[in-house]
């Protein structure tokens, strides 16, 4: 269920040229970072991005086709600015083969599941394994349990999410795109964990 506009199907080919860009621009105080969101269809990836970039939530949003791109800059307390170039990938099975085009060269991968769906948690674990095999060796990984506002329908415990994340060297957080709970904290925490380029 995409919460933002999407690129047409052919976009992956046109955009694959951006992989040549370095994942993190080499300026210690102004970082430019490629971030990719992965996860099953309907877990709320687009809603998380839309809430972060535009402060909006659209309950009637459309499914993302291929991938969509948005960017947002945040400032940290140490006066570093981080510009996130966010690639929100489609979760449907038929687009899975395109995902490597988006996570290749990414400095950050945010793997999202829905706390009310065990199946989506299983799919999240599949994406983590793919990233461990094919992603950048120093990629910052975050595991996000979304839809934390639906506590009464919870199928995946906080403990399960936390244990899986710790076992795989990931940062873990639960969010709600609907209520905006922990959305900004997610991106701030990622920003703090980014490797800083060395200044001469």
């Amino acid at each position: 269920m995409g919460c933002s506009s999407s690129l047409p199907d052919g976009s992956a080919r046109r955009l694959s040229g951006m992989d040549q860009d370095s994942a993190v621009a080499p300026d210690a105080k102004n970082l430019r970072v490629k971030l990719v969101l992965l996860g099953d269809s309907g877990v709320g990836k687009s809603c998380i991005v839309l809430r972060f970039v535009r402060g909006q939530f659209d309950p009637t949003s459309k499914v993302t086709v291929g991938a969509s791109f948005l960017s947002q800059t945040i400032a940290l307390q140490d006066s570093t600015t981080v510009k996130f170039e966010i690639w929100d990938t489609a979760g449907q099975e038929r687009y899975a083969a395109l995902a490597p085009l988006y996570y290749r060269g990414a400095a950050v991968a945010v793997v999202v599941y829905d706390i009310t769906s065990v199946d989506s948690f299983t799919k999240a674990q599949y994406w983590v394994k793919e990233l461990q095999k094919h992603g950048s060796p120093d990629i910052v990984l975050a595991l996000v349990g979304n839809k934390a506002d639906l506590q009464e329908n919870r199928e995946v415990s906080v403990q399960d999410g936390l244990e899986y994340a710790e076992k795989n060297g990931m940062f873990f957080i639960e969010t709600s795109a609907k209520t905006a709970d922990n959305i900004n904290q997610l991106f701030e925490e990622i920003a703090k964990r980014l490797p800083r380029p060395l200044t001469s």
Side-chain angles (χ1 to χ4, degrees):
M1 305 213 280
C3 263
S4 63
S5 61
S6 302
L7 297 165
D9 265 350
S11 60
R13 285 184 294 282
R14 289 198 304 278
L15 297 164
S16 58
M18 53 152 208
D19 295 332
Q20 279 72 43
D21 286 356
S22 60
V24 179
D27 175 348
K29 282 295 179 190
N30 299 288
L31 302 177
R32 189 171 58 92
V33 177
K34 180 179 173 184
L35 179 151
V36 64
L37 280 100
L38 297 162
D40 216 353
S41 185
V43 296
K45 299 183 297 297
S46 300
C47 296
I48 288 171
V49 176
L50 200 63
R51 175 61 83 180
F52 173 58
V53 174
R54 299 196 186 130
Q56 298 169 341
F57 178 76
D58 177 7
T60 63
S61 65
K62 308 286 185 287
V63 168
T64 303
V65 176
S68 63
F69 175 81
L70 289 162
S71 68
Q72 176 72 312
T73 302
I74 63 170
L76 299 178
Q77 285 176 327
D78 67 359
S79 78
T80 302
T81 63
V82 179
K83 181 182 183 184
F84 287 112
E85 298 179 341
I86 304 166
W87 290 92
D88 171 21
T89 64
Q92 303 101 303
E93 206 58 55
R94 67 179 181 270
Y95 295 118
L98 292 177
L101 290 174
Y102 300 106
Y103 65 66
R104 191 179 300 129
V108 182
V110 177
V111 181
V112 184
Y113 68 91
D114 172 352
I115 69 157
T116 71
S117 163
V118 170
D119 287 347
S120 74
F121 186 53
T122 304
K123 187 65 186 236
Q125 294 173 40
Y126 161 81
W127 284 119
V128 172
K129 290 188 182 84
E130 285 295 294
L131 288 161
Q132 287 168 338
K133 277 191 288 195
H134 306 297
S136 306
D138 54 355
I139 194 168
V140 176
L141 293 174
L143 181 66
V144 177
N146 193 36
K147 307 193 184 181
D149 53 291
L150 301 175
Q151 286 295 342
E152 66 281 5
N153 301 324
R154 179 188 284 277
E155 288 183 5
V156 183
S157 71
V158 174
Q159 194 60 30
D160 285 347
L162 190 58
E163 281 176 8
Y164 183 78
E166 283 178 353
K167 201 166 70 182
N168 289 279
M170 304 174 78
F171 157 61
F172 173 74
I173 194 168
E174 286 197 344
T175 59
S176 168
K178 187 175 184 178
T179 64
D181 196 35
N182 276 347
I183 297 294
N184 288 346
Q185 290 88 327
L186 163 65
F187 289 92
E188 284 163 15
E189 191 58 45
I190 288 167
K192 287 180 201 159
R193 289 163 186 261
L194 290 168
R196 297 291 193 269
L198 298 170
T199 48
S200 49

